[in-house]
Amino acid sequence: MKKIFLHFSLLSALATLGYNNARAQGAGTFSGDLQLNGNFFQRDSAIGAAGNDLYDKYLSGGEGWLSLRYSNYGFTGYLRLDVFSNSNLKDPYKAMSGFGIGAWSISKEIMGLTITGGYIYDQIGSGILFRSYEDRGLLIDNALEGLHLKYKLADNITVKGFVGQQKNIYDRYRPIIKGFNAEGDFSLGKSVHINPGVGVLNRTLDQQTYTGIYNTVQTYDVADRFTPMYNTYAFTGYNTLTAGDFTWYVEGAYKTHETINYPILNATSIDQVYRDKPGNIIFSTLGYARKGLALNVTGKRTENFVMRISPDENSPNNGQINWQPIVAQIRPQRLIARYTPASQDISEKAVNANALVSPNDNYDFNLSYTHIDRLDGLKLYREAYFEANIRSVKNFLIDVGAQYMEYNLFYQGKIGDPILKAITPFTEITYLINNKSSLKLQAQYMNAKEDDGSWAFVGLEYAIAPKWSFALSDMYNVAPSEKSIYKDKHFYNVFIARTQGAHRISLAYVKQVAGINCSGGVCRYEPAFSGVRLMITSSF
C-alpha cells in the first residue's frame, strides 16, 4: 500500500504542478483507458478443460488494467493499475491474484533532451537486441524499471541510453540492464534515403543468480563444466535503405559468451542443461512496390541468440529482453492459426517470399512460400499459400484460398511425432446487405492425418455498424487420428459485442481446442478452454 500511495502522490503532484501552470500555459490534457477480462470456467474433462483449481474450485477469474495519462507544461505522467483475480494468463493451469501498480513513468523534454523515469517501453532497431513492450493477451510486460535519456544531437541524429531492472509482474528481476542506441536519418539524393543505427546492450547478473548457476555447473561432468560470466554484451547494426520502389532492411547482431539453458533433443523428450555459448543473428527483408504489384523476401539466421534476463527464466515469454521477428506470416484463419511457427532463438534458418498482385480494383492475388529449418538441417516448417480477394460481384466481398503446410510438432514440445502435413482450403464471403449491415460466412477444412487429424470450421457473423456484432461458429474433428481426444466433439463459439462510442463490451461462450496462441509473432501453447469470456474496453 505504501508503494501505491507513493505512486499516486507522484502523479497527483505532477497534476498539481500542471494545474498551477495551466493558468498561464493553458489547460493540460488528461486521458485514460480501461480493459477488463472475465472468465467463467465450465468443467469439460472430455476436452481436457479440467483437473486444475480453475475448473474444479474457483470457477471464475479475470484481470483488468486502468491507465491514466496527464500532460502539461512539458511534463507527461503515466500510471497503470493492474488487477488479477484468479487469472489464468500467466499460467493457464494455475490461478494468479494480485493488485498493484503495473507501470508508471514521468518524462520531461528539455532543449532536445527527453528524460524519463519509471517504467520504460522502447526498443533498439527491430527489437532483436532489446525490446520492452506489453502484450496483454500473452501477459508479456517486460518494461524496464529505471532511467531513460533520449537526446537529439542534430536534426537527423538521435541517441538514447537507459539503465534499470526488468519488470516481473509487481516485482523486478535482480540482474541489471544497460543500453545505448544511436540512429540517423539521411538523404543521399532525390530518391535515396537511409536510416542507419547501432546499439549496445549489457546485462549483469546479480550474485544470487550467479551463485545458483555456478553451483549447478559444478555438478556436471568435468568436460561440461565452465566458469559463468557475470556480464554479457550484445551489439547490433542495422539500416533501412529506400531507393525508388525498393526498400531494404538489414540487421546483424552478436552476443558474447553467456550461460544459456540449452535444449538437448532426445528421441521423445527435451533436456535442459546450462551451456556457455556466444550467439549471433542476421535478419533482412527486401521489398519492391509499385501500383498493382508488391514483392517481399525476408530471411533470418539465428544461432544461440537467447536474450533473457537470466538462464533460469526459460519458460515461454518470461524474462525476455528482446523480440525476434517471425519470418512466417501469421494467418487469421482459425484452423491454420493453430500451427503458427514461433521464432527459435537457439537454432533457425528461415526464408519467406511473398507476392501481392492487383491487376485492377476488383481483384487481389496473394502468393507466399515459407521455408524454415534448424541449422543442423532438421525440418521445421514449410508453407505454400495462395489467396484471392474478389470484389467484382455486386454487394459481395469474396476471399478464397488454400494452404499447404508441413509443421514439425517440435514447436509444441512433441518430440518424435511425425511432421504434420496438411492441405487447408478456405473461403470468406461477405454479403453487404446495406450501408450498415453485413453478413459474413467463413468455411475452412484442414485435411491431415497427423496430430489430431482433419478439422472443419464454419462461422457466421452478422454486423450492424457501428454498434452491434453477432457471431456463431463450430470447429469439428471430422476425421480424427487414433490418438485424438476430440472425437465426436464440437467446439462451439457464440459471440455478441456492442460498441458505444469509446466503450465496447463483448460476451462469448467458448469451447476452445488446445493449441498455439500467437500475438505479434510471439506464440505460446494453451490448453483447452470451456466457459464464458467477458471483455470490456473503454477510453476517455
Side-chain angles (χ1 to χ4, degrees):
M1 290 303 294
K2 288 182 179 179
K3 283 186 178 181
I4 296 174
F5 176 77
L6 287 173
H7 287 97
F8 269 117
S9 299
L10 197 59
L11 189 62
S12 176
L14 179 64
T16 302
L17 175 64
Y19 176 77
N20 289 337
N21 287 281
R23 297 178 180 179
Q25 302 295 325
T29 59
F30 182 81
S31 62
D33 59 80
L34 171 71
Q35 179 179 337
L36 293 174
N37 300 333
N39 292 316
F40 302 89
F41 302 98
Q42 180 187 52
R43 197 173 191 276
D44 189 345
S45 58
I47 66 171
N52 60 66
D53 289 343
L54 295 167
Y55 288 97
D56 299 342
K57 295 179 181 179
Y58 303 137
L59 305 184
S60 64
E63 50 275 337
W65 299 267
L66 174 62
S67 301
L68 305 172
R69 303 171 189 83
Y70 183 78
S71 299
N72 197 15
Y73 202 59
F75 284 93
T76 299
Y78 175 72
L79 178 69
R80 193 186 76 222
L81 291 176
D82 293 359
V83 182
F84 302 97
S85 303
N86 290 335
S87 170
N88 67 337
L89 268 184
K90 183 174 178 61
D91 185 337
Y93 296 97
K94 297 179 181 178
M96 180 186 72
S97 297
F99 168 80
I101 301 297
W104 69 270
S105 67
I106 296 177
S107 63
K108 169 70 174 176
E109 194 274 332
I110 308 169
M111 299 179 63
L113 175 65
T114 302
I115 305 170
T116 302
Y119 286 63
I120 299 160
Y121 295 96
D122 199 356
Q123 71 181 53
I124 295 175
S126 66
I128 287 175
L129 199 69
F130 172 80
R131 185 189 186 197
S132 57
Y133 70 108
E134 181 190 10
D135 189 322
R136 294 175 184 176
L138 300 178
L139 196 62
I140 295 175
D141 189 353
N142 57 355
L144 197 66
E145 295 187 52
L147 185 65
H148 183 280
L149 302 178
K150 183 178 181 179
Y151 184 62
K152 197 157 187 159
L153 281 175
D155 290 341
N156 54 1
I157 301 176
T158 302
V159 296
K160 59 187 176 184
F162 50 84
V163 61
Q165 293 174 294
Q166 191 180 75
K167 179 181 187 294
N168 181 19
I169 309 298
Y170 298 119
D171 202 354
R172 294 189 300 272
Y173 292 107
R174 291 183 297 270
I176 302 297
I177 297 174
K178 300 178 284 291
F180 171 80
N181 185 206
E183 292 186 335
D185 185 354
F186 306 97
S187 293
L188 303 179
K190 189 174 181 180
S191 60
V192 179
H193 200 85
I194 61 171
N195 297 101
V198 294
V200 181
L201 193 78
N202 166 230
R203 185 212 62 195
T204 305
L205 293 179
D206 61 287
Q207 187 60 53
Q208 182 177 338
T209 301
Y210 180 90
T211 301
I213 296 170
Y214 181 86
N215 290 339
T216 300
V217 171
Q218 296 312 303
T219 66
Y220 292 172
D221 294 337
V222 174
D224 294 328
R225 294 179 190 174
F226 59 90
T227 301
M229 307 291 291
Y230 277 98
N231 284 281
T232 299
Y233 300 91
F235 311 89
T236 188
Y238 54 91
N239 182 59
T240 300
L241 168 67
T242 303
D245 297 329
F246 288 91
T247 301
W248 179 33
Y249 178 83
V250 62
E251 180 170 3
Y254 172 79
K255 173 178 63 67
T256 62
H257 279 260
E258 69 158 337
T259 304
I260 64 176
N261 236 314
Y262 195 83
I264 305 296
L265 274 62
N266 301 313
T268 59
S269 63
I270 302 176
D271 293 333
Q272 298 281 346
V273 296
Y274 286 148
R275 289 289 185 265
D276 181 56
K277 299 278 188 179
N280 61 83
I281 184 171
I282 185 167
F283 170 76
S284 183
T285 179
L286 175 64
Y288 171 81
R290 59 181 304 176
K291 185 177 180 180
L293 178 65
L295 304 174
N296 189 82
V297 178
T298 300
K300 185 174 68 163
R301 184 190 185 278
T302 305
E303 183 176 8
N304 299 324
F305 206 82
V306 185
M307 298 292 291
R308 290 186 178 270
I309 198 67
S310 85
D312 295 328
E313 293 300 327
N314 64 337
S315 57
N317 305 330
N318 287 345
Q320 288 184 324
I321 296 176
N322 71 334
W323 172 84
Q324 286 204 25
I326 186 171
V327 172
Q329 295 182 335
I330 297 178
R331 306 299 180 190
Q333 293 83 9
R334 180 67 185 90
L335 299 183
I336 296 175
R338 293 189 66 222
Y339 298 104
T340 301
S343 287
Q344 301 296 298
D345 49 17
I346 292 290
S347 177
E348 183 183 55
K349 51 183 178 181
V351 64
N352 168 265
N354 186 82
L356 177 64
V357 182
S358 300
N360 54 51
D361 293 337
N362 292 324
Y363 299 96
D364 295 330
F365 301 101
N366 185 7
L367 299 94
S368 177
Y369 177 72
T370 303
H371 188 108
I372 304 176
D373 289 335
R374 279 171 51 100
L375 297 180
D376 59 10
L378 178 67
K379 180 190 291 187
L380 293 180
Y381 186 76
R382 303 285 188 272
E383 183 202 49
Y385 182 88
F386 170 79
E387 182 179 6
N389 293 296
I390 303 169
R391 297 177 291 274
S392 59
V393 182
K394 185 178 180 180
N395 295 332
F396 280 91
L397 301 175
I398 301 172
D399 179 31
V400 62
Q403 182 216 47
Y404 172 75
M405 172 176 57
E406 296 182 14
Y407 176 94
N408 195 325
L409 293 164
F410 162 86
Y411 284 112
Q412 300 182 9
K414 301 174 182 178
I415 306 302
D417 285 21
I419 290 178
L420 171 76
K421 297 180 180 180
I423 298 176
T424 308
F426 60 87
T427 187
E428 181 178 293
I429 302 173
T430 302
Y431 174 57
L432 306 176
I433 301 171
N434 52 46
N435 290 335
K436 290 187 175 182
S437 301
S438 65
L439 185 65
K440 180 188 296 184
L441 170 68
Q442 291 179 304
Q444 305 162 26
Y445 179 78
M446 175 175 282
N447 182 30
K449 295 180 180 180
E450 299 78 20
D451 200 26
D452 293 315
S454 298
W455 291 87
F457 173 87
V458 177
L460 193 64
E461 180 182 342
Y462 177 60
I464 306 173
K467 294 184 177 181
W468 290 99
S469 180
F470 308 87
L472 174 67
S473 67
D474 182 24
M475 181 172 162
Y476 184 67
N477 199 185
V478 293
S481 64
E482 291 185 1
K483 70 173 188 176
S484 176
I485 65 170
Y486 304 123
K487 298 174 184 178
D488 301 322
K489 301 293 187 301
H490 286 271
F491 290 85
Y492 296 111
N493 278 255
V494 182
F495 173 88
I496 181 172
R498 176 177 171 83
T499 302
Q500 185 72 44
H503 314 301
R504 187 176 189 271
I505 181 170
S506 66
L507 187 67
Y509 174 75
V510 178
K511 287 278 188 181
Q512 180 175 299
V513 66
I516 296 293
N517 176 28
C518 292
S519 178
V522 180
C523 305
R524 75 171 181 181
Y525 180 81
E526 292 187 352
F529 178 86
S530 173
V532 175
R533 286 176 171 166
L534 171 70
M535 178 180 287
I536 300 172
T537 60
S538 179
S539 59
F540 51 88

PDB file of all heavy atoms in Angstrom, residues 362-363 390-398 429-434:
ATOM      1  N   ASN A 362     -10.811  -4.819 -58.798  1.00  0.00           N
ATOM      2  CA  ASN A 362     -11.711  -5.921 -58.453  1.00  0.00           C
ATOM      3  C   ASN A 362     -11.010  -7.177 -57.940  1.00  0.00           C
ATOM      4  O   ASN A 362     -11.675  -8.068 -57.399  1.00  0.00           O
ATOM      5  CB  ASN A 362     -12.570  -6.303 -59.667  1.00  0.00           C
ATOM      6  CG  ASN A 362     -13.562  -5.224 -60.033  1.00  0.00           C
ATOM      7  OD1 ASN A 362     -14.101  -4.546 -59.159  1.00  0.00           O
ATOM      8  ND2 ASN A 362     -13.792  -5.040 -61.334  1.00  0.00           N
ATOM      9  N   TYR A 363      -9.703  -7.240 -58.122  1.00  0.00           N
ATOM     10  CA  TYR A 363      -9.006  -8.480 -57.763  1.00  0.00           C
ATOM     11  C   TYR A 363      -7.672  -8.198 -57.078  1.00  0.00           C
ATOM     12  O   TYR A 363      -6.931  -7.292 -57.463  1.00  0.00           O
ATOM     13  CB  TYR A 363      -8.739  -9.337 -59.015  1.00  0.00           C
ATOM     14  CG  TYR A 363      -9.979  -9.759 -59.746  1.00  0.00           C
ATOM     15  CD1 TYR A 363     -10.440  -9.019 -60.842  1.00  0.00           C
ATOM     16  CD2 TYR A 363     -10.710 -10.877 -59.364  1.00  0.00           C
ATOM     17  CE1 TYR A 363     -11.585  -9.387 -61.520  1.00  0.00           C
ATOM     18  CE2 TYR A 363     -11.850 -11.252 -60.034  1.00  0.00           C
ATOM     19  CZ  TYR A 363     -12.291 -10.512 -61.113  1.00  0.00           C
ATOM     20  OH  TYR A 363     -13.432 -10.881 -61.783  1.00  0.00           O
ATOM     21  N   ILE A 390     -11.860 -11.070 -54.241  1.00  0.00           N
ATOM     22  CA  ILE A 390     -12.680 -10.757 -55.409  1.00  0.00           C
ATOM     23  C   ILE A 390     -13.761  -9.753 -55.013  1.00  0.00           C
ATOM     24  O   ILE A 390     -14.536  -9.984 -54.076  1.00  0.00           O
ATOM     25  CB  ILE A 390     -13.330 -12.040 -55.976  1.00  0.00           C
ATOM     26  CG1 ILE A 390     -12.230 -13.059 -56.315  1.00  0.00           C
ATOM     27  CG2 ILE A 390     -14.179 -11.726 -57.198  1.00  0.00           C
ATOM     28  CD1 ILE A 390     -12.765 -14.439 -56.618  1.00  0.00           C
ATOM     29  N   ARG A 391     -13.818  -8.634 -55.747  1.00  0.00           N
ATOM     30  CA  ARG A 391     -14.804  -7.585 -55.467  1.00  0.00           C
ATOM     31  C   ARG A 391     -15.662  -7.270 -56.692  1.00  0.00           C
ATOM     32  O   ARG A 391     -16.305  -6.226 -56.738  1.00  0.00           O
ATOM     33  CB  ARG A 391     -14.076  -6.322 -54.989  1.00  0.00           C
ATOM     34  CG  ARG A 391     -13.326  -6.509 -53.683  1.00  0.00           C
ATOM     35  CD  ARG A 391     -12.557  -5.251 -53.286  1.00  0.00           C
ATOM     36  NE  ARG A 391     -11.443  -5.006 -54.191  1.00  0.00           N
ATOM     37  CZ  ARG A 391     -10.234  -5.543 -54.053  1.00  0.00           C
ATOM     38  NH1 ARG A 391      -9.971  -6.352 -53.043  1.00  0.00           N
ATOM     39  NH2 ARG A 391      -9.269  -5.267 -54.925  1.00  0.00           N
ATOM     40  N   SER A 392     -15.666  -8.155 -57.678  1.00  0.00           N
ATOM     41  CA  SER A 392     -16.369  -7.888 -58.932  1.00  0.00           C
ATOM     42  C   SER A 392     -17.856  -8.233 -58.878  1.00  0.00           C
ATOM     43  O   SER A 392     -18.606  -7.843 -59.773  1.00  0.00           O
ATOM     44  CB  SER A 392     -15.700  -8.666 -60.074  1.00  0.00           C
ATOM     45  OG  SER A 392     -15.728 -10.061 -59.804  1.00  0.00           O
ATOM     46  N   VAL A 393     -18.272  -8.977 -57.851  1.00  0.00           N
ATOM     47  CA  VAL A 393     -19.675  -9.351 -57.721  1.00  0.00           C
ATOM     48  C   VAL A 393     -20.376  -8.315 -56.855  1.00  0.00           C
ATOM     49  O   VAL A 393     -19.962  -8.056 -55.723  1.00  0.00           O
ATOM     50  CB  VAL A 393     -19.821 -10.756 -57.108  1.00  0.00           C
ATOM     51  CG1 VAL A 393     -21.293 -11.155 -57.030  1.00  0.00           C
ATOM     52  CG2 VAL A 393     -19.030 -11.787 -57.921  1.00  0.00           C
ATOM     53  N   LYS A 394     -21.459  -7.743 -57.358  1.00  0.00           N
ATOM     54  CA  LYS A 394     -22.154  -6.665 -56.661  1.00  0.00           C
ATOM     55  C   LYS A 394     -22.607  -7.104 -55.276  1.00  0.00           C
ATOM     56  O   LYS A 394     -23.165  -8.180 -55.095  1.00  0.00           O
ATOM     57  CB  LYS A 394     -23.359  -6.207 -57.482  1.00  0.00           C
ATOM     58  CG  LYS A 394     -24.068  -4.997 -56.880  1.00  0.00           C
ATOM     59  CD  LYS A 394     -25.232  -4.554 -57.748  1.00  0.00           C
ATOM     60  CE  LYS A 394     -25.947  -3.347 -57.148  1.00  0.00           C
ATOM     61  NZ  LYS A 394     -27.091  -2.912 -57.983  1.00  0.00           N
ATOM     62  N   ASN A 395     -22.309  -6.262 -54.279  1.00  0.00           N
ATOM     63  CA  ASN A 395     -22.704  -6.459 -52.879  1.00  0.00           C
ATOM     64  C   ASN A 395     -21.993  -7.634 -52.199  1.00  0.00           C
ATOM     65  O   ASN A 395     -22.380  -8.020 -51.093  1.00  0.00           O
ATOM     66  CB  ASN A 395     -24.219  -6.652 -52.738  1.00  0.00           C
ATOM     67  CG  ASN A 395     -25.001  -5.423 -53.145  1.00  0.00           C
ATOM     68  OD1 ASN A 395     -24.505  -4.301 -53.041  1.00  0.00           O
ATOM     69  ND2 ASN A 395     -26.219  -5.620 -53.622  1.00  0.00           N
ATOM     70  N   PHE A 396     -20.968  -8.183 -52.843  1.00  0.00           N
ATOM     71  CA  PHE A 396     -20.246  -9.304 -52.240  1.00  0.00           C
ATOM     72  C   PHE A 396     -18.745  -8.996 -52.179  1.00  0.00           C
ATOM     73  O   PHE A 396     -18.169  -8.394 -53.090  1.00  0.00           O
ATOM     74  CB  PHE A 396     -20.435 -10.586 -53.051  1.00  0.00           C
ATOM     75  CG  PHE A 396     -21.735 -11.278 -52.789  1.00  0.00           C
ATOM     76  CD1 PHE A 396     -22.860 -10.989 -53.565  1.00  0.00           C
ATOM     77  CD2 PHE A 396     -21.853 -12.221 -51.776  1.00  0.00           C
ATOM     78  CE1 PHE A 396     -24.063 -11.622 -53.334  1.00  0.00           C
ATOM     79  CE2 PHE A 396     -23.049 -12.861 -51.532  1.00  0.00           C
ATOM     80  CZ  PHE A 396     -24.166 -12.573 -52.317  1.00  0.00           C
ATOM     81  N   LEU A 397     -18.114  -9.433 -51.094  1.00  0.00           N
ATOM     82  CA  LEU A 397     -16.655  -9.477 -50.970  1.00  0.00           C
ATOM     83  C   LEU A 397     -16.282 -10.940 -50.785  1.00  0.00           C
ATOM     84  O   LEU A 397     -16.702 -11.581 -49.813  1.00  0.00           O
ATOM     85  CB  LEU A 397     -16.180  -8.656 -49.764  1.00  0.00           C
ATOM     86  CG  LEU A 397     -16.545  -7.168 -49.755  1.00  0.00           C
ATOM     87  CD1 LEU A 397     -16.112  -6.524 -48.448  1.00  0.00           C
ATOM     88  CD2 LEU A 397     -15.906  -6.453 -50.942  1.00  0.00           C
ATOM     89  N   ILE A 398     -15.497 -11.467 -51.718  1.00  0.00           N
ATOM     90  CA  ILE A 398     -15.198 -12.899 -51.714  1.00  0.00           C
ATOM     91  C   ILE A 398     -13.701 -13.107 -51.528  1.00  0.00           C
ATOM     92  O   ILE A 398     -12.887 -12.532 -52.256  1.00  0.00           O
ATOM     93  CB  ILE A 398     -15.664 -13.561 -53.022  1.00  0.00           C
ATOM     94  CG1 ILE A 398     -17.174 -13.356 -53.207  1.00  0.00           C
ATOM     95  CG2 ILE A 398     -15.332 -15.050 -53.020  1.00  0.00           C
ATOM     96  CD1 ILE A 398     -17.688 -13.812 -54.553  1.00  0.00           C
ATOM     97  N   ILE A 429     -16.883 -15.189 -47.342  1.00  0.00           N
ATOM     98  CA  ILE A 429     -17.804 -14.475 -48.235  1.00  0.00           C
ATOM     99  C   ILE A 429     -18.620 -13.494 -47.407  1.00  0.00           C
ATOM    100  O   ILE A 429     -19.307 -13.883 -46.458  1.00  0.00           O
ATOM    101  CB  ILE A 429     -18.739 -15.455 -48.969  1.00  0.00           C
ATOM    102  CG1 ILE A 429     -17.913 -16.469 -49.769  1.00  0.00           C
ATOM    103  CG2 ILE A 429     -19.688 -14.699 -49.893  1.00  0.00           C
ATOM    104  CD1 ILE A 429     -18.740 -17.575 -50.382  1.00  0.00           C
ATOM    105  N   THR A 430     -18.532 -12.223 -47.770  1.00  0.00           N
ATOM    106  CA  THR A 430     -19.260 -11.180 -47.062  1.00  0.00           C
ATOM    107  C   THR A 430     -20.333 -10.599 -47.982  1.00  0.00           C
ATOM    108  O   THR A 430     -20.022 -10.160 -49.104  1.00  0.00           O
ATOM    109  CB  THR A 430     -18.325 -10.055 -46.607  1.00  0.00           C
ATOM    110  OG1 THR A 430     -17.296 -10.611 -45.769  1.00  0.00           O
ATOM    111  CG2 THR A 430     -19.086  -8.995 -45.822  1.00  0.00           C
ATOM    112  N   TYR A 431     -21.573 -10.605 -47.508  1.00  0.00           N
ATOM    113  CA  TYR A 431     -22.689 -10.012 -48.246  1.00  0.00           C
ATOM    114  C   TYR A 431     -23.035  -8.672 -47.609  1.00  0.00           C
ATOM    115  O   TYR A 431     -23.371  -8.602 -46.420  1.00  0.00           O
ATOM    116  CB  TYR A 431     -23.895 -10.933 -48.236  1.00  0.00           C
ATOM    117  CG  TYR A 431     -25.136 -10.317 -48.862  1.00  0.00           C
ATOM    118  CD1 TYR A 431     -25.110  -9.842 -50.169  1.00  0.00           C
ATOM    119  CD2 TYR A 431     -26.323 -10.216 -48.144  1.00  0.00           C
ATOM    120  CE1 TYR A 431     -26.230  -9.272 -50.745  1.00  0.00           C
ATOM    121  CE2 TYR A 431     -27.457  -9.661 -48.707  1.00  0.00           C
ATOM    122  CZ  TYR A 431     -27.405  -9.179 -50.014  1.00  0.00           C
ATOM    123  OH  TYR A 431     -28.529  -8.615 -50.582  1.00  0.00           O
ATOM    124  N   LEU A 432     -22.924  -7.594 -48.394  1.00  0.00           N
ATOM    125  CA  LEU A 432     -23.223  -6.246 -47.908  1.00  0.00           C
ATOM    126  C   LEU A 432     -24.707  -5.989 -48.076  1.00  0.00           C
ATOM    127  O   LEU A 432     -25.191  -5.669 -49.171  1.00  0.00           O
ATOM    128  CB  LEU A 432     -22.393  -5.217 -48.672  1.00  0.00           C
ATOM    129  CG  LEU A 432     -20.865  -5.466 -48.672  1.00  0.00           C
ATOM    130  CD1 LEU A 432     -20.151  -4.438 -49.544  1.00  0.00           C
ATOM    131  CD2 LEU A 432     -20.319  -5.438 -47.251  1.00  0.00           C
ATOM    132  N   ILE A 433     -25.452  -6.135 -46.996  1.00  0.00           N
ATOM    133  CA  ILE A 433     -26.914  -6.012 -47.052  1.00  0.00           C
ATOM    134  C   ILE A 433     -27.313  -4.578 -47.363  1.00  0.00           C
ATOM    135  O   ILE A 433     -28.157  -4.313 -48.222  1.00  0.00           O
ATOM    136  CB  ILE A 433     -27.534  -6.484 -45.721  1.00  0.00           C
ATOM    137  CG1 ILE A 433     -27.137  -7.946 -45.458  1.00  0.00           C
ATOM    138  CG2 ILE A 433     -29.042  -6.324 -45.746  1.00  0.00           C
ATOM    139  CD1 ILE A 433     -27.517  -8.444 -44.089  1.00  0.00           C
ATOM    140  N   ASN A 434     -26.709  -3.644 -46.655  1.00  0.00           N
ATOM    141  CA  ASN A 434     -26.910  -2.217 -46.912  1.00  0.00           C
ATOM    142  C   ASN A 434     -25.688  -1.477 -46.388  1.00  0.00           C
ATOM    143  O   ASN A 434     -24.657  -2.094 -46.114  1.00  0.00           O
ATOM    144  CB  ASN A 434     -28.218  -1.706 -46.264  1.00  0.00           C
ATOM    145  CG  ASN A 434     -28.307  -2.064 -44.783  1.00  0.00           C
ATOM    146  OD1 ASN A 434     -27.346  -1.884 -44.038  1.00  0.00           O
ATOM    147  ND2 ASN A 434     -29.460  -2.590 -44.364  1.00  0.00           N
TER     148      ASN A 434
END
